[in-house]
Amino acid sequence: MLGIEPSDSELEAAMLALITGGAESEDMGLIGYVPPKGSLCANTIVSSHGGATVNCGNEASLSCGRCQLVRSDLAKDSWQPAWVRERRSPTFVGSGPESQPFGHPTYLWGNISAIDVLNLGKNEGEMYCGDLDVLFAEAAEVILHVWYSARLTRGMLTVIDDYVRKPVADVVFKIKDKSDNVLQSKKWTFGSTDITVRLTKLQWKTVLAIIDAKPELSKTEEERRKVVLAPHRLDCRERELINLPGFGRLCSARFRETGVLAPLAWSLERFDCPNPLLFHEDDSTWLQMDSADPRNGWPVPSTLSTLHSDRNAKNDVNGLLYFHIRSVLERFCHRLQNPVSKIKLILYCVDAASLPGCLGTETRASGLDRIEVSNIADEAYLGLARTLGTFTPLLKSHSVNPRATLITLFLNACEIADRQMGNRSDSKIQSSQMKQVLKYLPFRPRHTGMANSTEVMKMMIANDLVRDYDRIFAFYMDVVRFEAISKQAGVKMRQRNAIVEAWPMRLKKKPGEKGADEEFQSLVASSSSGAERYVEWARES
């Protein structure tokens, strides 16, 4: 089979352009950006310069029609997890350590799909040409391999050193006599776009230390594998696999094994350097949980779109995700270079509650058109009252922009309310939910008598998707006192969202409807429970 990988020089040029965006900064000259075109051959050849193995630079002429990339038991419909094959109870059943989260408690890849916080078509209008002021309480723009791959090529590290490390080192040198906790700014100019980074002296020094860390690949791979391939977590990993189609299981296992997000057919020989941003700079600890998955940060239908299948084998989920993310980043870089855009980005690394105090007087006075605060309104974090009290004053008034919106996400609310309501122990509710599940997932046990068969496990996971979340969330709103808190903050909760779908991961099609089975299988295979609830707020005056 012939695949579709850019040559090393072309990929590094793309990496360079994605980092700099064709940028002209205060410290850099102009960097040109030419995105890779077409599908390139994944064959490798022996270079005449030293005999090194390099990637073919020609355009691919063929792709595999049946997508039989490799032969693996994981790809077979008959595959069963170890606990079924060994006829034992899985280790995650119960309250032991194997049932708890494992790894470093950070979420560098996110755990909720990306959203469009502008949605101009349904708000200001597609032809809107005015300014929009947007605040992300937690935001970071990174490029594909620096974000997702545990290993990089030497060319990518050179790009980071030349166009990231040198400006950061210059900042560290210039502020060496400044106070430790005072914010220091560095601005890059991309055509008509400005990107400003504001960090404390200690944070700037930490960034430099991370980039300067030169860990051994053997050490970083050992640390990564301790987490993502821990032997005692086998059952937990395979629990995730039972909901994936055959090639989905294969792609998931491949990513855990290699740590590089790329199409299955690609040679990864060039990726022989640790990515310093995904490991601790002192001891090379892997900085994520073993459940971290790049798919969790992107909407499944967009990722698996046939728009990318002409460049990739259609069942290669890793490849489809790779091309989807790369196309998003490329469009973003083109937008930065568009002289009409006039985008200004200001990036902070502060506690969300203190973010308003970091903003300039002009920004606070004029207000913002969109504020997206992730799930900090969950009770485990700032909570609703503090979130609305902190960010409502920054929102533009209704008279200035009636579409100005504060977007909050509730990830844990329904789970908390469901337990408080006693639904988990209500046999009538559980029976009703199971009947709904069986309409989507007929029970045909291959291993009768096993309470922990894959069929039973799938039903338990699917049970979350059919809960009556409207009723559960209404209970939560009453307990938390949404109405009283919003009135005190001077905002109204929109009864119908205008920016983001209220329940983006909930089942929408009824059993028997066209596409219902595909939607159900897609959601079951995702990390979502269907309980993710977006709530939008607008100023009353």
Side-chain angles (χ1 to χ4, degrees):
M1 168 185 165
L2 294 181
I4 41 176
E5 181 176 10
S7 65
D8 197 51
S9 61
E10 190 168 9
L11 180 57
E12 288 168 11
M15 287 285 296
L16 173 61
L18 287 171
I19 289 177
T20 64
E24 184 177 14
S25 84
E26 296 169 347
D27 306 297
M28 309 177 209
L30 186 66
I31 306 297
Y33 172 60
V34 180
K37 294 181 179 180
S39 301
L40 301 183
C41 182
N43 283 339
T44 56
I45 57 177
V46 178
S47 171
S48 57
H49 302 287
T53 300
V54 298
N55 291 96
C56 173
N58 297 324
E59 188 165 331
S61 59
L62 296 172
S63 62
C64 180
R66 295 183 61 195
C67 198
Q68 299 295 323
L69 297 174
V70 294
R71 295 186 180 275
S72 167
D73 287 342
L74 279 173
K76 297 177 180 178
D77 291 338
S78 60
W79 175 86
Q80 292 290 310
W83 78 77
V84 173
R85 300 194 304 270
E86 298 165 9
R87 301 191 67 81
R88 59 174 173 80
S89 180
T91 58
F92 53 76
V93 172
S95 57
E98 286 79 8
S99 66
Q100 305 303 314
F102 181 69
H104 199 282
T106 53
Y107 299 90
L108 302 181
W109 296 338
N111 56 355
I112 190 71
S113 294
I115 61 172
D116 179 359
V117 300
L118 297 181
N119 201 345
L120 293 178
K122 295 183 179 179
N123 292 276
E124 288 83 0
E126 293 287 1
M127 304 305 293
Y128 180 76
C129 297
D131 293 337
L132 282 173
D133 301 298
V134 183
L135 174 67
F136 296 88
E138 299 172 329
E141 285 295 339
V142 294
I143 57 174
L144 189 151
H145 281 296
V146 172
W147 198 351
Y148 289 116
S149 295
R151 292 181 281 139
L152 305 175
T153 68
R154 295 183 187 279
M156 294 172 191
L157 284 184
T158 299
V159 170
I160 293 173
D161 187 65
D162 289 346
Y163 297 99
V164 179
R165 185 201 176 279
K166 289 180 180 178
V168 170
D170 183 57
V171 172
V172 171
F173 176 76
K174 290 178 179 177
I175 65 175
K176 64 180 186 298
D177 297 323
K178 301 287 186 180
S179 300
D180 286 346
N181 296 318
V182 177
L183 290 174
Q184 308 291 339
S185 298
K186 169 67 179 178
K187 183 172 75 172
W188 283 264
T189 299
F190 298 74
S192 60
T193 296
D194 291 337
I195 296 182
T196 301
V197 179
R198 292 179 180 170
L199 303 174
T200 65
K201 176 181 175 180
L202 179 59
Q203 289 169 341
W204 280 112
K205 291 173 68 176
T206 300
V207 172
L208 184 59
I210 291 172
I211 298 174
D212 278 347
K214 304 296 182 186
E216 293 291 332
L217 181 61
S218 59
K219 175 62 174 175
T220 56
E221 279 298 282
E222 177 186 358
E223 293 297 324
R224 186 182 68 85
R225 286 168 174 266
K226 280 182 182 179
V227 176
V228 304
L229 293 173
H232 73 281
R233 299 283 291 179
L234 173 63
D235 288 356
C236 294
R237 293 195 295 275
E238 293 195 335
R239 176 176 53 178
E240 297 175 4
L241 297 181
I242 63 176
N243 293 307
L244 299 176
F247 278 99
R249 294 193 293 267
L250 181 63
C251 290
S252 178
R254 166 80 166 180
F255 181 69
R256 283 183 181 273
E257 179 68 27
T258 66
V260 178
L261 181 60
L264 288 178
W266 284 14
S267 168
L268 302 181
E269 185 176 347
R270 295 176 297 112
F271 289 81
D272 57 359
C273 303
N275 180 351
L277 286 95
L278 297 183
F279 299 91
H280 195 280
E281 65 272 19
D282 293 331
D283 58 10
S284 298
T285 300
W286 176 245
L287 294 178
Q288 298 205 81
M289 309 283 282
D290 68 337
S291 59
D293 190 327
R295 295 177 305 146
N296 295 344
W298 299 91
V300 175
S302 297
T303 302
L304 303 183
S305 169
T306 54
L307 292 175
H308 308 291
S309 64
D310 61 335
R311 310 182 73 187
N312 191 80
K314 65 179 181 180
N315 286 331
D316 178 2
V317 178
N318 292 356
L320 292 171
L321 180 60
Y322 169 88
F323 283 110
H324 175 73
I325 297 173
R326 197 177 78 175
S327 68
V328 171
L329 290 171
E330 288 172 352
R331 291 197 302 272
F332 177 73
C333 289
H334 283 302
R335 184 73 178 270
L336 290 182
Q337 296 172 69
N338 188 338
V340 179
S341 295
K342 297 181 180 179
I343 298 172
K344 295 185 184 298
L345 298 176
I346 305 175
L347 307 180
Y348 297 89
C349 182
V350 298
D351 185 277
S354 62
L355 184 54
C358 300
L359 302 179
T361 304
E362 183 180 347
T363 299
R364 292 198 299 270
S366 61
L368 297 160
D369 297 281
R370 302 284 192 278
I371 302 176
E372 192 277 327
V373 296
S374 189
N375 67 316
I376 65 173
D378 271 330
E379 295 305 301
Y381 303 102
L382 292 188
L384 181 62
R386 194 175 174 195
T387 298
L388 295 186
T390 299
F391 292 99
T392 294
L394 297 176
L395 204 59
K396 285 183 178 177
S397 66
H398 187 272
S399 59
V400 174
N401 183 5
R403 298 293 184 176
T405 306
L406 168 61
I407 305 169
T408 56
L409 168 64
F410 293 88
L411 284 180
N412 307 316
C414 287
E415 182 67 25
I416 294 171
D418 196 40
R419 295 187 181 280
Q420 290 178 346
M421 295 169 73
N423 292 337
R424 297 299 182 92
S425 58
D426 190 316
S427 59
K428 289 184 178 180
I429 292 177
Q430 291 301 310
S431 176
S432 175
Q433 290 177 183
M434 195 54 63
K435 288 178 181 178
Q436 281 294 105
V437 170
L438 289 173
K439 292 178 182 178
Y440 291 97
L441 189 69
F443 185 50
R444 301 187 184 93
R446 284 177 285 179
H447 300 272
T448 57
M450 283 195 65
N452 297 312
S453 68
T454 55
E455 290 83 0
V456 171
M457 288 291 174
K458 286 180 181 179
M459 292 174 68
M460 292 173 62
I461 294 170
N463 193 50
D464 286 343
L465 295 174
V466 297
R467 294 185 199 173
D468 185 356
Y469 285 123
D470 285 319
R471 182 176 64 90
I472 295 171
F473 195 71
F475 175 86
Y476 180 82
M477 290 193 295
D478 286 340
V479 171
V480 177
R481 300 170 53 249
F482 268 43
E483 186 174 352
I485 290 174
S486 60
K487 185 175 182 179
Q488 183 177 6
V491 291
K492 282 186 176 181
M493 173 181 166
R494 286 195 177 132
Q495 297 304 307
R496 191 178 186 86
N497 283 8
I499 310 294
V500 188
E501 189 177 354
W503 301 96
M505 303 303 292
R506 187 164 70 174
L507 282 171
K508 300 173 181 65
K509 298 181 181 296
K510 297 183 182 299
E513 289 185 3
K514 184 178 180 180
D517 289 344
E518 291 80 3
E519 180 191 53
F520 178 81
Q521 294 298 337
S522 176
L523 289 175
V524 168
S526 74
S527 63
S528 300
S529 66
E532 300 84 357
R533 176 65 155 95
Y534 280 98
V535 177
E536 297 179 1
W537 311 87
R539 291 276 292 267
E540 287 192 298
S541 59

